[in-house]
Amino acid sequence: MTPLPETPAKALIVLGCPEAPAQQALAFHTAYNLKKRGSEVLIAGNPSVLNLLKVSDPEKHYITDTMVLEKCIAEVVEKKRDCDLCVVFAHNDAAIAYAATMRHLLPERRLVVIIFGKNPEPLADEINFPCEKIVDKAVHNPMQLRTKINEVFGWAVSRT
Amino acid sequence: MGCIENLKYEMILPLGASFKECREYAEKNFKEVWYVNPGYKLFDEYIIGLPPIALGIEDGKKIIFPYTKPCHGTYLLRIEDADEVERVRKTARKKK
């Protein structure tokens, strides 16, 4: 039986443009599952996407630590921030560029790139660096991509 | 707002482009091209992208480089700054 991956002590979730609604749902789902299992979770993104998260979770049940993406990258470059797991949500070329940057800056860390949106396959083909890819044509409906994410991380499917 | 957005820049590819298109454009249209990795500091900001990141130099005083924002995509910008050009020549590499 394939052993389940260890729970990362520190996880960094990088979010792209909030244009595709599935991202926010799956960001919450990913953060929730990592936190439940004991990970410290930081979510980085642009101010718009962070504000969407904060408005959605005013009591910070799921999202406790956030950081503007540029600041996060600066801290990683300056070796002030590290993580065991980096998850990048990508539905456009810009986000692939951020994923590539994280790969370069965190060469030894586990990197999972979740590629979604209307046309994820060409974006996935742009990735020429080592990482785990989860690819799904999800824009509004997060369910199938949630299943794939659960499989990659070894999380049991919730019945709620 | 990033530091670069406060500078006097010109958009070379105003409709945006993929990262690969920006690299190919720089390599094809500028005789002097330098390469850097993500995390390289340019105009006091850390550049992001798929390595190798191509920086074009024009007239010895202008830098052409890709600039990415999550919701807007990647743009190829031109900024005039002779001092920054000299710094790139000293710290970037010629080979991919």
PDB file of all heavy atoms in Angstrom, chain A residues 106-123:
ATOM      1  N   LEU A 106      12.327  27.383  -4.041  1.00  0.00           N
ATOM      2  CA  LEU A 106      12.173  26.311  -3.044  1.00  0.00           C
ATOM      3  C   LEU A 106      12.462  24.960  -3.708  1.00  0.00           C
ATOM      4  O   LEU A 106      11.565  24.121  -3.839  1.00  0.00           O
ATOM      5  CB  LEU A 106      10.737  26.326  -2.483  1.00  0.00           C
ATOM      6  CG  LEU A 106      10.286  27.611  -1.784  1.00  0.00           C
ATOM      7  CD1 LEU A 106       8.767  27.621  -1.605  1.00  0.00           C
ATOM      8  CD2 LEU A 106      10.968  27.740  -0.431  1.00  0.00           C
ATOM      9  N   PRO A 107      13.690  24.747  -4.131  1.00  0.00           N
ATOM     10  CA  PRO A 107      13.983  23.572  -4.948  1.00  0.00           C
ATOM     11  C   PRO A 107      13.793  22.234  -4.240  1.00  0.00           C
ATOM     12  O   PRO A 107      13.566  21.216  -4.894  1.00  0.00           O
ATOM     13  CB  PRO A 107      15.462  23.772  -5.337  1.00  0.00           C
ATOM     14  CG  PRO A 107      16.010  24.707  -4.312  1.00  0.00           C
ATOM     15  CD  PRO A 107      14.888  25.582  -3.883  1.00  0.00           C
ATOM     16  N   GLU A 108      13.873  22.239  -2.906  1.00  0.00           N
ATOM     17  CA  GLU A 108      13.795  20.960  -2.198  1.00  0.00           C
ATOM     18  C   GLU A 108      12.409  20.683  -1.632  1.00  0.00           C
ATOM     19  O   GLU A 108      12.184  19.644  -1.036  1.00  0.00           O
ATOM     20  CB  GLU A 108      14.800  20.974  -1.023  1.00  0.00           C
ATOM     21  CG  GLU A 108      16.232  21.241  -1.452  1.00  0.00           C
ATOM     22  CD  GLU A 108      16.760  20.170  -2.374  1.00  0.00           C
ATOM     23  OE1 GLU A 108      16.424  18.985  -2.170  1.00  0.00           O
ATOM     24  OE2 GLU A 108      17.482  20.515  -3.337  1.00  0.00           O
ATOM     25  N   ARG A 109      11.504  21.619  -1.802  1.00  0.00           N
ATOM     26  CA  ARG A 109      10.203  21.485  -1.150  1.00  0.00           C
ATOM     27  C   ARG A 109       9.191  20.837  -2.081  1.00  0.00           C
ATOM     28  O   ARG A 109       9.309  20.905  -3.302  1.00  0.00           O
ATOM     29  CB  ARG A 109       9.682  22.870  -0.712  1.00  0.00           C
ATOM     30  CG  ARG A 109      10.641  23.616   0.190  1.00  0.00           C
ATOM     31  CD  ARG A 109      10.852  22.870   1.479  1.00  0.00           C
ATOM     32  NE  ARG A 109      11.783  23.579   2.350  1.00  0.00           N
ATOM     33  CZ  ARG A 109      12.870  23.030   2.874  1.00  0.00           C
ATOM     34  NH1 ARG A 109      13.167  21.756   2.625  1.00  0.00           N
ATOM     35  NH2 ARG A 109      13.656  23.732   3.665  1.00  0.00           N
ATOM     36  N   ARG A 110       8.169  20.238  -1.485  1.00  0.00           N
ATOM     37  CA  ARG A 110       7.114  19.648  -2.295  1.00  0.00           C
ATOM     38  C   ARG A 110       6.303  20.777  -2.934  1.00  0.00           C
ATOM     39  O   ARG A 110       5.848  21.689  -2.228  1.00  0.00           O
ATOM     40  CB  ARG A 110       6.208  18.778  -1.425  1.00  0.00           C
ATOM     41  CG  ARG A 110       5.160  18.015  -2.220  1.00  0.00           C
ATOM     42  CD  ARG A 110       4.250  17.169  -1.348  1.00  0.00           C
ATOM     43  NE  ARG A 110       3.318  16.408  -2.175  1.00  0.00           N
ATOM     44  CZ  ARG A 110       2.234  15.807  -1.723  1.00  0.00           C
ATOM     45  NH1 ARG A 110       1.922  15.854  -0.423  1.00  0.00           N
ATOM     46  NH2 ARG A 110       1.432  15.147  -2.551  1.00  0.00           N
ATOM     47  N   LEU A 111       6.128  20.716  -4.236  1.00  0.00           N
ATOM     48  CA  LEU A 111       5.363  21.743  -4.946  1.00  0.00           C
ATOM     49  C   LEU A 111       4.220  21.058  -5.691  1.00  0.00           C
ATOM     50  O   LEU A 111       4.439  20.162  -6.498  1.00  0.00           O
ATOM     51  CB  LEU A 111       6.255  22.501  -5.943  1.00  0.00           C
ATOM     52  CG  LEU A 111       5.555  23.482  -6.885  1.00  0.00           C
ATOM     53  CD1 LEU A 111       4.930  24.635  -6.110  1.00  0.00           C
ATOM     54  CD2 LEU A 111       6.545  24.036  -7.917  1.00  0.00           C
ATOM     55  N   VAL A 112       3.006  21.486  -5.376  1.00  0.00           N
ATOM     56  CA  VAL A 112       1.824  20.970  -6.057  1.00  0.00           C
ATOM     57  C   VAL A 112       1.194  22.136  -6.805  1.00  0.00           C
ATOM     58  O   VAL A 112       0.871  23.157  -6.198  1.00  0.00           O
ATOM     59  CB  VAL A 112       0.812  20.365  -5.049  1.00  0.00           C
ATOM     60  CG1 VAL A 112      -0.445  19.902  -5.775  1.00  0.00           C
ATOM     61  CG2 VAL A 112       1.445  19.207  -4.286  1.00  0.00           C
ATOM     62  N   VAL A 113       1.035  21.980  -8.116  1.00  0.00           N
ATOM     63  CA  VAL A 113       0.430  23.043  -8.912  1.00  0.00           C
ATOM     64  C   VAL A 113      -0.939  22.561  -9.378  1.00  0.00           C
ATOM     65  O   VAL A 113      -1.044  21.538 -10.054  1.00  0.00           O
ATOM     66  CB  VAL A 113       1.296  23.424 -10.131  1.00  0.00           C
ATOM     67  CG1 VAL A 113       0.689  24.615 -10.858  1.00  0.00           C
ATOM     68  CG2 VAL A 113       2.719  23.752  -9.686  1.00  0.00           C
ATOM     69  N   ILE A 114      -1.961  23.293  -8.970  1.00  0.00           N
ATOM     70  CA  ILE A 114      -3.335  22.940  -9.333  1.00  0.00           C
ATOM     71  C   ILE A 114      -3.724  23.821 -10.510  1.00  0.00           C
ATOM     72  O   ILE A 114      -3.847  25.036 -10.375  1.00  0.00           O
ATOM     73  CB  ILE A 114      -4.284  23.170  -8.141  1.00  0.00           C
ATOM     74  CG1 ILE A 114      -3.845  22.294  -6.960  1.00  0.00           C
ATOM     75  CG2 ILE A 114      -5.727  22.871  -8.536  1.00  0.00           C
ATOM     76  CD1 ILE A 114      -4.576  22.569  -5.657  1.00  0.00           C
ATOM     77  N   ILE A 115      -3.871  23.175 -11.678  1.00  0.00           N
ATOM     78  CA  ILE A 115      -4.141  23.933 -12.902  1.00  0.00           C
ATOM     79  C   ILE A 115      -5.604  23.726 -13.267  1.00  0.00           C
ATOM     80  O   ILE A 115      -6.051  22.587 -13.469  1.00  0.00           O
ATOM     81  CB  ILE A 115      -3.233  23.448 -14.050  1.00  0.00           C
ATOM     82  CG1 ILE A 115      -1.763  23.495 -13.599  1.00  0.00           C
ATOM     83  CG2 ILE A 115      -3.417  24.305 -15.293  1.00  0.00           C
ATOM     84  CD1 ILE A 115      -1.051  22.209 -13.720  1.00  0.00           C
ATOM     85  N   PHE A 116      -6.331  24.810 -13.353  1.00  0.00           N
ATOM     86  CA  PHE A 116      -7.763  24.682 -13.593  1.00  0.00           C
ATOM     87  C   PHE A 116      -8.217  25.808 -14.511  1.00  0.00           C
ATOM     88  O   PHE A 116      -7.391  26.494 -15.122  1.00  0.00           O
ATOM     89  CB  PHE A 116      -8.505  24.700 -12.240  1.00  0.00           C
ATOM     90  CG  PHE A 116      -8.340  25.974 -11.467  1.00  0.00           C
ATOM     91  CD1 PHE A 116      -9.375  26.872 -11.351  1.00  0.00           C
ATOM     92  CD2 PHE A 116      -7.124  26.293 -10.856  1.00  0.00           C
ATOM     93  CE1 PHE A 116      -9.224  28.050 -10.655  1.00  0.00           C
ATOM     94  CE2 PHE A 116      -6.965  27.473 -10.154  1.00  0.00           C
ATOM     95  CZ  PHE A 116      -8.021  28.355 -10.058  1.00  0.00           C
ATOM     96  N   GLY A 117      -9.561  25.993 -14.602  1.00  0.00           N
ATOM     97  CA  GLY A 117     -10.067  27.038 -15.486  1.00  0.00           C
ATOM     98  C   GLY A 117     -10.660  26.458 -16.745  1.00  0.00           C
ATOM     99  O   GLY A 117     -10.842  25.245 -16.878  1.00  0.00           O
ATOM    100  N   LYS A 118     -10.946  27.322 -17.717  1.00  0.00           N
ATOM    101  CA  LYS A 118     -11.643  26.895 -18.937  1.00  0.00           C
ATOM    102  C   LYS A 118     -10.776  25.977 -19.795  1.00  0.00           C
ATOM    103  O   LYS A 118     -11.267  25.058 -20.438  1.00  0.00           O
ATOM    104  CB  LYS A 118     -12.011  28.109 -19.787  1.00  0.00           C
ATOM    105  CG  LYS A 118     -13.147  28.937 -19.246  1.00  0.00           C
ATOM    106  CD  LYS A 118     -13.452  30.127 -20.166  1.00  0.00           C
ATOM    107  CE  LYS A 118     -14.392  31.086 -19.477  1.00  0.00           C
ATOM    108  NZ  LYS A 118     -14.581  32.328 -20.223  1.00  0.00           N
ATOM    109  N   ASN A 119      -9.486  26.249 -19.824  1.00  0.00           N
ATOM    110  CA  ASN A 119      -8.599  25.521 -20.727  1.00  0.00           C
ATOM    111  C   ASN A 119      -7.280  25.201 -20.020  1.00  0.00           C
ATOM    112  O   ASN A 119      -6.248  25.813 -20.308  1.00  0.00           O
ATOM    113  CB  ASN A 119      -8.349  26.396 -21.963  1.00  0.00           C
ATOM    114  CG  ASN A 119      -7.926  25.594 -23.152  1.00  0.00           C
ATOM    115  OD1 ASN A 119      -7.990  24.367 -23.167  1.00  0.00           O
ATOM    116  ND2 ASN A 119      -7.449  26.278 -24.173  1.00  0.00           N
ATOM    117  N   PRO A 120      -7.301  24.246 -19.106  1.00  0.00           N
ATOM    118  CA  PRO A 120      -6.109  24.039 -18.284  1.00  0.00           C
ATOM    119  C   PRO A 120      -4.978  23.272 -18.983  1.00  0.00           C
ATOM    120  O   PRO A 120      -3.821  23.402 -18.569  1.00  0.00           O
ATOM    121  CB  PRO A 120      -6.643  23.218 -17.097  1.00  0.00           C
ATOM    122  CG  PRO A 120      -7.834  22.508 -17.628  1.00  0.00           C
ATOM    123  CD  PRO A 120      -8.422  23.401 -18.687  1.00  0.00           C
ATOM    124  N   GLU A 121      -5.302  22.468 -20.008  1.00  0.00           N
ATOM    125  CA  GLU A 121      -4.267  21.603 -20.597  1.00  0.00           C
ATOM    126  C   GLU A 121      -3.081  22.379 -21.189  1.00  0.00           C
ATOM    127  O   GLU A 121      -1.931  22.020 -20.924  1.00  0.00           O
ATOM    128  CB  GLU A 121      -4.867  20.664 -21.649  1.00  0.00           C
ATOM    129  CG  GLU A 121      -5.685  19.515 -21.064  1.00  0.00           C
ATOM    130  CD  GLU A 121      -7.105  19.929 -20.744  1.00  0.00           C
ATOM    131  OE1 GLU A 121      -7.489  21.051 -21.103  1.00  0.00           O
ATOM    132  OE2 GLU A 121      -7.843  19.108 -20.138  1.00  0.00           O
ATOM    133  N   PRO A 122      -3.311  23.439 -21.988  1.00  0.00           N
ATOM    134  CA  PRO A 122      -2.151  24.178 -22.504  1.00  0.00           C
ATOM    135  C   PRO A 122      -1.315  24.803 -21.389  1.00  0.00           C
ATOM    136  O   PRO A 122      -0.089  24.890 -21.494  1.00  0.00           O
ATOM    137  CB  PRO A 122      -2.778  25.264 -23.383  1.00  0.00           C
ATOM    138  CG  PRO A 122      -4.127  24.758 -23.730  1.00  0.00           C
ATOM    139  CD  PRO A 122      -4.567  23.916 -22.576  1.00  0.00           C
ATOM    140  N   LEU A 123      -1.974  25.219 -20.323  1.00  0.00           N
ATOM    141  CA  LEU A 123      -1.228  25.774 -19.181  1.00  0.00           C
ATOM    142  C   LEU A 123      -0.371  24.685 -18.542  1.00  0.00           C
ATOM    143  O   LEU A 123       0.796  24.916 -18.204  1.00  0.00           O
ATOM    144  CB  LEU A 123      -2.182  26.320 -18.133  1.00  0.00           C
ATOM    145  CG  LEU A 123      -2.913  27.613 -18.464  1.00  0.00           C
ATOM    146  CD1 LEU A 123      -3.873  27.959 -17.338  1.00  0.00           C
ATOM    147  CD2 LEU A 123      -1.932  28.758 -18.668  1.00  0.00           C
TER     148      LEU A 123
END
